[in-house]
Amino acid sequence: MAIQHHKRLSMDLLLPTGFGLERLKSDRNARSSVETELEPFAQPRSQPRPRKGAASPDLLDAAEQQRQVLQGLRIDGQSVRLTLTATGLEWARAASSAAAAVEAVPFSEMLSAECCDEPPGLLTCLRARTHQLQVLTFRRAAGRPCEWFPRKLLIEAVDEETVQDLCAAISRGIEGASAGRPRSLLVLLNPNSGHRQGRCVWCRLAAPVFAAAGIKARVWETRRPGHACELVAGLTAQQLQGVDGIVCVGGDGVFHEALNGLMAARGAAAAAGDAELAALLGALRLAHIPAGSTDAVACTLHGTRRAFTAALHVALGDSTPLDVLRVDTPQGAKFASCIAAYGFLADVTSEAEQWRWMGPMRYDIVGAAKLAVSRAYPARIRYLEGEVARTLSKHSHTVCTSDCRIQGEFCSIMLIVMPCRSDKTRSGMARFGHLADGRLKLVLVRKCSPLQYLRFLHGMSRRGCSPGQLPYVTVLDAVAVEVTPLGSSSSGGDGGGGSTGRPVSCWNLDGELVAGPGIQAEVHPGLVRVFSRGVEQA
């Protein structure tokens, strides 16, 4: 069967008619670290002071017309010269020279601002009483700008009116920069993910961020495998009124299920001609707050597994398109956002399922056992490259045509959609992959010794997969791929047919195991949007 690639797939072709998808760690050290991380977002000791009236028009207009410099203020206990601009706040130490380093926080990176009373203390009676303003924002780790930590700017002044006018001006600036920020979210929580930390991560890390941003969250806990897919696929137009996105708290599996549920719901709405439901589903953004064993989705979207960072990307309304891989199997269509793997990775995932109580360590133990066997699987691969043809030095022909074909025995076949970063692959399995370029990386590891495959794994963990690294590894850019295993369950084909007695593996789609003699897969560019801005570089 020839592979057909459609750059713009209509929603009525996205799924067949009638298609339905089947499918803490709570020790004291973990709790202490979580509490310490969110300490700046804790509620003030006293209740916020209500505003006494509208802010001064001069101060509110200053940010729009010119830079307004305010004197006599303290930020985090230090006297500063504060400048209110059209885009945010800038300040430098009051005693410093004019060339001193200037700190700045834009309105787009602030969650909220509120006036509050100075907490009582022993020295309060010995000095003039100050009035305080709290601005909730974040700071970036030194050398790792993609890792965010909570920060609370405490602005103090003796004059109460100055503080209230500044609070009103900052609040208006935040409101002006909040286009695209969510107001209501549906949260899918998997309490059993990873070390059973899902509920703890939500309550202690994500929920306080959403509360500070004024976001309403409706939480649904998943109870069994495939439950998240069922919940999303069954959403109605009434349930989606006012909902801006779906947040998945757990491992990669809950995000994978939500994605498949969303695709099923879109297909059903298109087939039923329900324009209202189709529009609501099409406007939803997805998010992944990591609480699992690998968390490749969150790590790829944000460059870190920090749950606070992922939650803040949601609260700030970051948005970017994400490519989705549609995989057609004999059982029906499935969707993946990270990877579809056949061979070694699928074997490891399949075997590791019975050792989930071991946590992430199970992948290392099972992987070592599978590596010692180093099994290879016969298969035939056909693929379509992207719009720009490339020179293929690995094959007998020089330039790839529209019907490329490779056949042989492979230890691993991988279709990598996004970079797939994780703790084991910091640079990503596909280092030069992208979130939304409409292409995938087809990685073929031919039959090799255990030592050679270990060398491949080591290189992938350090610098990702790229062409020309190893003679027995082929890396190609493709938009559509057809894989036909030639083992015992295959029928027909150039390399053998019937029951040959040769081994066959299964498919690993973002952690979901799918059995089948073969698949056809195609990348659909930017099929969904996610709460992300990509990985920030130093």
Side-chain angles (χ1 to χ4, degrees), residues 186 220 230-237 239-240 246 265 277 281 284:
L186 174 61
W220 289 351
E230 297 172 9
L231 291 174
V232 177
L235 289 173
T236 64
Q239 291 174 317
L240 289 175
I246 300 175
L277 179 58
L281 291 169
L284 290 177

Side-chain angles (χ1 to χ4, degrees), residues 514-529:
V514 177
I519 59 116
Q520 286 189 343
E522 180 182 2
V523 179
H524 297 289
L527 196 57
V528 297
R529 299 196 70 87

Side-chain angles (χ1 to χ4, degrees), residues 57-58 60-68 84-86 172:
D58 295 337
L60 290 175
D61 295 337
E64 299 177 357
Q65 300 175 0
Q66 59 185 359
R67 298 164 61 88
Q68 178 69 26
L84 179 65
T85 71
R172 194 177 74 165

Side-chain angles (χ1 to χ4, degrees), residues 14-330:
L14 191 59
L15 283 172
T17 304
F19 170 73
L21 295 178
E22 300 173 358
R23 210 189 83 116
L24 281 180
K25 183 177 180 181
S26 57
D27 55 22
R28 296 179 181 177
N29 293 335
R31 291 178 180 273
S32 176
S33 63
V34 170
E35 292 170 355
T36 302
E37 178 170 325
L38 272 187
E39 185 177 353
F41 276 18
Q43 294 296 325
R45 299 179 186 177
S46 57
Q47 294 296 323
R49 177 187 298 273
R51 291 181 54 202
K52 294 185 176 181
S56 169
D58 295 337
L59 185 57
L60 290 175
D61 295 337
E64 299 177 357
Q65 300 175 0
Q66 59 185 359
R67 298 164 61 88
Q68 178 69 26
V69 180
L70 303 176
Q71 302 285 351
L73 299 178
R74 297 169 64 89
I75 295 183
D76 296 338
Q78 296 182 343
S79 297
V80 299
R81 299 189 305 272
L82 178 66
T83 304
L84 179 65
T85 71
T87 59
L89 299 178
E90 298 178 359
W91 69 92
R93 292 186 182 181
S96 304
S97 62
V102 176
E103 292 189 66
V105 176
F107 294 131
S108 60
E109 296 184 355
M110 300 179 189
L111 285 182
S112 62
E114 63 179 8
C115 298
C116 58
D117 290 327
E118 180 182 16
L122 296 176
L123 300 180
T124 304
C125 59
L126 303 180
R127 57 178 172 81
R129 182 190 179 194
T130 61
H131 300 272
Q132 297 182 342
L133 164 65
Q134 291 184 0
V135 179
L136 299 183
T137 179
F138 66 94
R139 62 178 177 84
R140 294 174 171 86
R144 293 276 297 171
C146 59
E147 293 190 3
W148 297 354
F149 295 85
R151 183 182 187 185
K152 179 178 67 177
L153 290 178
L154 185 62
I155 304 176
E156 300 175 275
V158 176
D159 182 41
E160 180 179 9
E161 185 177 356
T162 299
V163 171
Q164 291 191 353
D165 287 346
L166 181 59
C167 180
I170 294 175
S171 297
R172 194 177 74 165
I174 295 174
E175 183 178 356
S178 64
R181 293 190 182 186
R183 292 291 177 262
S184 178
L185 295 169
L186 174 61
V187 178
L188 300 177
L189 170 62
N190 180 6
N192 297 319
S193 61
H195 288 289
R196 301 182 182 273
Q197 280 205 95
R199 196 176 286 115
C200 178
V201 167
W202 164 251
C203 294
R204 296 176 179 269
L205 288 175
V209 174
F210 292 173
I215 300 174
K216 297 180 180 179
R218 182 173 43 178
V219 182
W220 289 351
E221 287 196 8
T222 60
R223 298 182 176 88
R224 59 186 179 278
H227 192 199
C229 180
E230 297 172 9
L231 291 174
V232 177
L235 289 173
T236 64
Q238 182 178 2
Q239 291 174 317
L240 289 175
Q241 292 295 333
V243 176
D244 299 302
I246 300 175
V247 178
C248 305
V249 183
D252 295 322
V254 67
F255 184 89
H256 173 71
E257 290 184 12
L259 173 64
N260 277 268
L262 181 60
M263 294 298 102
R266 286 185 180 183
D274 191 337
E276 179 187 7
L277 179 58
L280 292 171
L281 291 169
L284 290 177
R285 284 174 283 176
L286 297 179
H288 179 214
I289 296 181
S293 301
T294 306
D295 300 320
V297 174
C299 197
T300 301
L301 294 179
H302 313 304
T304 178
R305 291 181 65 187
R306 298 188 66 84
F308 170 80
T309 303
L312 199 52
H313 278 290
V314 177
L316 295 178
D318 292 337
S319 180
T320 190
L322 183 68
D323 290 346
V324 175
L325 182 70
R326 171 172 171 155
V327 181
D328 291 306
T329 71

